[in-house]
Amino acid sequence: MSMLSNGLSGLTASQIALNVVSNNIANSNVAGYTRQQTVSSALISNSNNSLSSGSGVEVSAINRITDDYLNNNLWRSNSSYGFNQAYSDYLGVTEQLLANENLSLAVGMDDMFNAFNSASAEPSSIAPRQLIISSAEALTQKFNSLAANLDIQRVQIEEQADGMLEMANSLFVEVATLNQEIVDGTAQGANVSALLDQRDETVNSLSKLMDVEVARMDDGSFTLSMTGGQPLVLGSSAASLSRVGNNYQVNLAGQPFSFSGDIGGELGGILSYESNILDTTEASLNQLAQDLADDVNNQLALGQDINTIAGAGAPLFDYNPLDPAGSLSISAGFEPEDLALGAIGAGPGDNSNLSQIIALKDNHYDTYNSLVGTLAIKSGQAGAEAQASKSIADDALAQRDSVSAVNLDEEAMSLIQYQQSYQANAKVVSASQQLFNTLLSMF
């Protein structure tokens, strides 16, 4: 009967191998699927007969072909790419916003100071004075529009960050649930490959949102934490991320842990942009609006207007100190006659104070151009880093797939191999039955 049992064991092993190959082929286009492979071993003969050839074959395991190092490398590279791409995208928008000709403060300051310059020939004439006010008002509107657009960006970032926090929380729960299912399934001797694939793909999605440290436990579960050590998933317990104002925290089992926006991934990218670029750009824009308004107003205060009762120059600009760029405007009730273009006591035809106002241009013009130039340089660097990190992420995925993904050519060869093995073992069983029938017919 050893021949029959050998053939039957071979049939069983070939059938299992064919099932594994067919499953690999069926899932070849499924993202995150890890190919499986049967591990067969010869059964040890229970006979003490030295002429016994053995007891057949058995499938001792079905292995997932995976490499923890390559998976970790993929997750780290995804996090880096997510960070750099999100950072670059927002930075590019800001650069284009400030360089937009319709919103350009450089154009606005050119127009205003050109209007001041045009009044030099006839400082007492109303028409050039009206042009000064009109161009100054246009400049304030550019400041207001830029400030409003940056405010919109901040709202978008906060909404996007809240959405990412919610998504991360759901992924934590999914990993924790899969941890429990994997531990239970492993204890029961089940094939948990599909659950392991699903968990790896969940961590892969999570890594795009933020940096995660993955520790593999002896029971098959994952422990996830932030790079700062804050726990995210412990066994079947999942943490939750939340934001209160500008403060962020992790809460696990009622225990809060604070963290900063420097957490990598897309979430870290937009939070880093907010603190490093948006905040400083808004501060620079507000400072420029305040300095420009103060310098012009202070210089006008040193001159004399052309009203019936001559007096010191009234302020051209008005603003809220808490939001200079967003609130900058022409002072209420300001009239062309209020422009103090002449020196005190010099008469309405004097333009000596006007020349001092015109001289203010270069400093503010250079400040704005420096801001735009700095953003352009940073945007270029961020774009290059995003491209580089994308290449690294693509390479990491290719390396992981070279080990774990399904190669249809290889599976087709395996399919033929196990099919032939199945057919050969079937012939062994058939021959064994014929021999047994022949033996019975002899009696």
Side-chain angles (χ1 to χ4, degrees):
M1 294 297 292
S2 62
M3 182 178 178
L4 177 60
S5 62
N6 286 346
L8 289 173
S9 68
L11 276 174
T12 302
S14 297
Q15 181 63 60
I16 293 173
L18 284 169
N19 288 338
V20 170
V21 170
S22 64
N23 189 60
N24 286 341
I25 294 173
N27 288 278
S28 61
N29 293 318
V30 175
Y33 176 78
T34 302
R35 67 186 177 93
Q36 300 177 40
Q37 189 177 68
T38 54
V39 178
S40 300
S41 57
L43 288 170
I44 299 174
S45 174
N46 294 323
S47 172
N48 293 323
N49 187 345
S50 63
L51 298 179
S52 173
S53 61
S55 299
V57 66
E58 69 173 350
V59 175
S60 55
I62 298 176
N63 290 341
R64 292 171 71 241
I65 309 303
T66 185
D67 187 311
D68 290 342
Y69 171 79
L70 294 179
N71 282 335
N72 288 337
N73 187 47
L74 175 62
W75 297 336
R76 284 193 298 268
S77 60
N78 278 342
S79 179
S80 177
Y81 172 55
F83 176 94
N84 288 325
Q85 189 61 56
Y87 189 86
S88 175
D89 286 345
Y90 269 104
L91 182 51
V93 170
T94 303
E95 179 206 358
Q96 293 176 11
L97 178 66
L98 267 68
N100 186 308
E101 187 172 349
N102 293 326
L103 297 176
S104 173
L105 297 183
V107 174
M109 285 188 284
D110 270 343
D111 290 344
M112 183 183 74
F113 284 105
N114 286 340
F116 272 115
N117 193 57
S118 297
S120 298
E122 299 182 69
S124 60
S125 177
I126 297 299
R129 287 169 170 264
Q130 184 61 59
L131 180 60
I132 290 172
I133 296 176
S134 297
S135 59
E137 185 174 13
L139 178 59
T140 66
Q141 291 171 355
K142 290 179 185 292
F143 271 107
N144 299 160
S145 295
L146 286 174
N149 276 278
L150 294 179
D151 286 342
I152 291 173
Q153 264 198 20
R154 189 176 299 280
V155 172
Q156 290 174 338
I157 285 174
E158 292 176 353
E159 291 177 347
Q160 189 174 0
D162 288 342
M164 288 180 177
L165 292 175
E166 185 177 345
M167 183 182 299
N169 289 339
S170 68
L171 292 174
F172 298 154
V173 172
E174 188 172 345
V175 172
T177 301
L178 288 168
N179 271 346
Q180 189 62 55
E181 293 176 355
I182 289 167
V183 171
D184 293 343
T186 302
Q188 296 167 10
N191 186 341
V192 294
S193 294
L195 295 174
L196 293 171
D197 286 347
Q198 187 177 349
R199 185 178 63 183
D200 282 357
E201 191 63 16
T202 302
V203 175
N204 189 49
S205 298
L206 182 59
S207 70
K208 297 174 183 178
L209 289 177
M210 59 188 296
D211 277 330
V212 286
E213 298 291 336
V214 181
R216 294 162 175 81
M217 301 293 102
D218 292 339
D219 61 1
S221 65
F222 275 1
T223 292
L224 305 185
S225 61
M226 302 177 72
T227 53
Q230 299 90 336
L232 300 175
V233 176
L234 294 176
S236 59
S237 299
S240 62
L241 305 180
S242 60
R243 176 178 66 87
V244 180
N246 294 324
N247 299 316
Y248 295 83
Q249 71 175 22
V250 183
N251 191 297
L252 180 64
Q255 181 67 37
F257 303 88
S258 61
F259 68 93
S260 67
D262 186 19
I263 58 174
E266 294 177 7
L267 179 57
I270 64 173
L271 296 181
S272 180
Y273 163 81
E274 182 179 29
S275 60
N276 295 329
I277 300 298
L278 183 57
D279 287 352
T280 56
T281 301
E282 279 193 333
S284 297
L285 197 63
N286 281 326
Q287 191 64 54
L288 178 59
Q290 181 173 329
D291 289 346
L292 177 65
D294 287 348
D295 285 352
V296 172
N297 287 347
N298 290 339
Q299 191 60 50
L300 286 172
L302 298 177
Q304 183 172 302
D305 60 32
I306 58 169
N307 287 298
T308 303
I309 301 177
L316 173 62
F317 295 110
D318 187 28
Y319 62 86
N320 180 349
L322 299 178
D323 180 27
S327 64
L328 187 64
S329 63
I330 301 301
S331 297
F334 193 90
E335 297 294 338
E337 293 83 358
D338 297 327
L339 282 168
L341 305 182
I344 294 177
D350 182 63
N351 64 4
S352 32
N353 197 43
L354 174 59
S355 61
Q356 296 299 315
I357 296 172
I358 295 172
L360 299 173
K361 173 187 174 180
D362 290 343
N363 184 42
H364 300 294
Y365 193 86
D366 292 343
T367 299
Y368 178 73
N369 283 339
S370 175
L371 173 61
V372 175
T374 300
L375 284 175
I377 293 172
K378 290 182 177 180
S379 179
Q381 291 173 339
E385 290 175 0
Q387 286 295 322
S389 60
K390 182 180 186 303
S391 297
I392 293 173
D394 289 343
D395 288 344
L397 177 60
Q399 291 175 14
R400 196 282 305 267
D401 285 351
S402 69
V403 172
S404 300
V406 175
N407 185 311
L408 290 178
D409 290 336
E410 291 181 2
E411 298 302 323
M413 293 175 62
S414 297
L415 187 65
I416 295 173
Q417 174 188 347
Y418 292 124
Q419 183 181 13
Q420 291 175 341
S421 174
Y422 187 91
Q423 293 170 343
N425 279 286
K427 289 181 180 180
V428 170
V429 173
S430 177
S432 174
Q433 289 176 332
Q434 290 176 4
L435 290 174
F436 185 68
N437 290 337
T438 301
L439 180 64
L440 289 177
S441 68
M442 294 173 63
F443 297 94

